[in-house]
Amino acid sequence: MYTTGKDYKLAMAMGLSFTALTLCSEYSLVSQWVKVEDWAALEDVVPGMERALWFLTVVSILLNIAPLLLELKNKK
């Protein structure tokens, strides 16, 4: 959207919102597993998902910051 000249701030807000909702839903899932004491599910899923969620969150933040940095670069 940035390269076509369209307003990209709504898309950025949506991207960060989806990232936040994904993290909240994952936390909810893990919370449910703790409540029912499903330790096998926690041991199986959480270590891999932790790395994936950190990676995808960092990517989401970088993708949402990139248009702002490009805009600042073009203004100079």
Side-chain angles (χ1 to χ4, degrees):
M1 292 183 86
Y2 174 77
T3 58
T4 60
K6 294 182 180 178
D7 186 24
Y8 54 88
K9 291 184 171 103
L10 177 63
M12 290 171 50
M14 287 176 43
L16 287 176
S17 297
F18 287 137
T19 300
L21 289 172
T22 300
L23 293 173
C24 288
S25 69
E26 180 65 24
Y27 188 82
S28 244
L29 181 63
V30 169
S31 174
Q32 289 174 4
W33 287 340
V34 169
K35 283 180 187 174
V36 296
E37 298 180 3
D38 191 355
W39 308 123
L42 288 167
E43 290 175 351
D44 186 37
V45 174
V46 172
M49 286 304 296
E50 177 191 12
R51 282 181 247 121
L53 289 173
W54 273 109
F55 174 75
L56 293 173
T57 301
V58 169
V59 168
S60 176
I61 291 169
L62 291 175
L63 286 174
N64 283 292
I65 290 176
L68 297 174
L69 296 175
L70 290 171
E71 188 175 294
L72 287 174
K73 181 182 170 187
N74 289 339
K75 283 184 179 179
K76 289 182 179 182

